[in-house]
């Protein structure tokens, strides 16, 4: 008999760190902090950011698989999606590809034409290396940063010039980062130790200040983070029975739609509907 995923518990407020769900978004709510983090990691200048959008959902059509972006920023000529990844995720490359397509679709549906599309950046901050030479033996490439841009395979000097860039940081390789500011930030992400860097110390102090904020404590208590633990555990295990158990738990919690459960756990809509019908039948018999 497999262990039920419901053993996962939500982290107490006082134990939260910058990289935890809820806390990361709350810290990034500060436009100056968001801009400074982006400028440090992408080496670009960010103009005035009016208000970072947290957990922005893009779902252009009812039948479209939507995306929920951790932190979405834009200024006059740039759109930046910042994602913090504490757990390994399958198909990270295809995930970034889809995020990019949804961001472009969202822009075009607001009336922009192709030439008007802003520069677009997908920024992932991962606690673990997502790229492996030999995944079975857990041998990764070990780079602190992976940057991807569309260029011509036949001649690298030819750039597609689509104004999109994907940057993925691997915090576990902070020791080999050459840029001292990057090294300090990745060290903080990996260890939760701010060191001597001014920016990471400000982040750490802000985390502690937020923990004492009564409104945040109340909001955090109401957050459905337990569901996220279930979802991530199911993805990590990659087993059908785990996904089914997680789907049953989510159906019982009645927080997500059938489509959202299917998309999150990699099950078919038909399978989730089948599980829902079974649950309803069992409830009716009681």
């Amino acid at each position: 008999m497999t262990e039920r995923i419901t053993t996962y518990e939500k982290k107490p407020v006082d134990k939260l760190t910058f990289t935890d769900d809820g806390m990361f978004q709350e810290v990034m709510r500060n436009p100056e902090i968001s801009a400074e983090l982006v400028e440090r990691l992408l080496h670009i200048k960010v103009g005035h950011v009016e208000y970072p959008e947290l957990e922005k959902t893009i779902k252009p059509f009812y039948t479209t698989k939507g995306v929920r972006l951790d932190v979405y920023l834009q200024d006059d000529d740039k759109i930046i999606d910042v994602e913090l990844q504490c757990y390994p995720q399958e198909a990270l490359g295809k995930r970034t590809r889809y995020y990019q397509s949804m961001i472009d679709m969202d822009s075009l549906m607001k009336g922009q034409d192709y030439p008007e599309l802003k520069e677009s950046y997908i920024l992932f901050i991962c606690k673990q290396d997502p790229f492996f030479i030999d995944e079975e033996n857990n041998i990764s490439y070990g780079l602190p940063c992976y940057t991807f841009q569309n260029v011509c395979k036949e001649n690298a000097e030819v750039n597609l010039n689509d104004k999109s860039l994907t940057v993925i940081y691997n915090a576990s390789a902070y020791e080999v980062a050459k840029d001292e500011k990057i090294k300090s930030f990745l060290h903080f992400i990996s260890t939760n130790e701010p060191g001597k860097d001014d920016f990471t110390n400000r982040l750490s102090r802000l985390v502690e200040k937020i923990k004492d904020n009564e409104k945040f404590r109340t909001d955090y208590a109401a957050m459905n983070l337990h569901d996220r633990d279930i979802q991530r555990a199911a993805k990590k295990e990659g087993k059908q029975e785990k996904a089914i158990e997680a789907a049953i738990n989510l159906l019982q919690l009645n927080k997500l739609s059938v489509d959202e459960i299917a998309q999150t756990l990699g099950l078919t809509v038909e399978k989730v509907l089948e599980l829902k019908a079974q649950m309803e039948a069992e409830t009716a018999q009681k």
Side-chain angles (χ1 to χ4, degrees):
M1 182 176 179
T2 57
E3 181 183 0
R4 295 189 66 83
I5 299 172
T6 49
T7 56
Y8 288 83
E9 296 181 357
K10 187 166 73 173
K11 205 171 189 179
V13 173
D14 294 332
K15 298 292 185 181
L16 292 177
T17 67
F18 174 69
T19 60
D20 285 310
D21 282 314
M23 181 58 74
F24 173 66
Q25 285 84 358
E26 189 66 22
V27 172
M28 294 293 283
R29 187 184 298 277
N30 183 314
E32 292 181 359
I33 290 289
S34 293
E36 186 167 351
L37 183 146
V38 165
E39 289 180 349
R40 176 175 291 217
L41 297 185
L42 294 180
H43 306 290
I44 60 174
K45 185 65 179 176
V46 178
H48 178 67
V49 178
E50 190 68 36
Y51 182 74
E53 293 187 59
L54 310 178
E55 297 196 323
K56 176 182 174 67
T57 299
I58 300 176
K59 189 177 176 68
F61 307 104
Y62 175 75
T63 55
T64 303
K65 175 180 172 62
V67 296
R68 183 177 295 167
L69 309 177
D70 280 354
V71 181
Y72 180 93
L73 303 95
Q74 60 177 318
D75 62 11
D76 292 337
D77 59 357
K78 303 179 193 68
I79 292 176
I80 303 149
D81 167 39
V82 184
E83 301 288 326
L84 181 60
Q85 196 73 71
C86 293
Y87 303 86
Q89 293 281 3
E90 295 181 353
L92 181 60
K94 291 182 178 178
R95 182 183 296 270
T96 63
R97 169 182 162 186
Y98 193 70
Y99 283 14
Q100 182 64 67
S101 68
M102 286 290 98
I103 289 172
D104 289 343
M105 178 68 75
D106 187 55
S107 297
L108 289 172
M109 291 188 71
K110 290 177 180 177
Q112 288 186 319
D113 204 351
Y114 300 125
E116 298 174 306
L117 285 175
K118 297 182 178 182
E119 294 180 27
S120 178
Y121 298 84
I122 306 293
L123 172 60
F124 266 76
I125 305 166
C126 302
K127 293 192 75 170
Q128 302 172 38
D129 198 333
F131 300 108
F132 291 87
I133 301 172
D134 183 349
E135 188 166 6
E136 186 174 339
N137 294 304
N138 199 33
I139 302 174
S140 65
Y141 284 94
L143 296 177
C145 181
Y146 301 89
T147 303
F148 302 93
Q149 189 172 33
N150 288 320
V151 296
C152 179
K153 185 175 181 179
E154 289 75 16
N155 186 339
E157 293 183 3
V158 180
N159 194 315
L160 187 61
N161 200 31
D162 60 353
K163 303 297 184 183
S164 67
L165 188 73
T166 297
V167 179
I168 300 173
Y169 277 96
N170 163 31
S172 68
Y174 68 85
E175 291 182 341
V176 296
K178 295 180 180 179
D179 184 305
E180 286 301 321
K181 290 185 176 182
I182 298 294
K183 185 175 184 177
S184 297
F185 179 78
L186 295 182
H187 176 265
F188 176 60
I189 295 296
S190 182
T191 67
N192 195 40
E193 297 173 1
K196 298 180 179 180
D197 183 74
D198 175 67
F199 181 59
T200 54
N201 273 277
R202 277 188 284 134
L203 291 177
S204 183
R205 289 194 298 269
L206 186 52
V207 167
E208 295 306 313
K209 182 178 179 180
I210 290 170
K211 286 181 187 179
D212 292 333
N213 184 284
E214 287 302 322
K215 183 178 186 305
F216 173 78
R217 297 177 76 90
T218 301
D219 291 344
Y220 178 76
M223 287 177 68
N224 198 21
L225 298 182
H226 181 63
D227 285 2
R228 293 188 180 184
D229 287 335
I230 294 173
Q231 297 161 10
R232 288 191 177 114
K235 287 182 178 180
K236 184 176 181 182
E237 291 295 332
K239 296 179 180 180
Q240 182 77 356
E241 60 268 28
K242 289 283 187 180
I244 289 174
E245 287 181 5
I248 291 171
N249 289 330
L250 291 173
L251 286 167
Q252 290 173 339
L253 290 170
N254 196 29
K255 297 291 185 181
L256 299 177
S257 69
V258 168
D259 284 345
E260 288 172 330
I261 293 173
Q263 291 170 6
T264 300
L265 298 175
L267 297 171
T268 64
V269 172
E270 289 74 18
K271 183 63 180 178
V272 179
L273 286 171
E274 177 186 337
L275 294 171
K276 184 178 181 181
Q278 291 175 358
M279 287 175 53
E280 291 173 348
E282 291 173 1
T283 302
Q285 291 174 359
K286 293 180 180 180

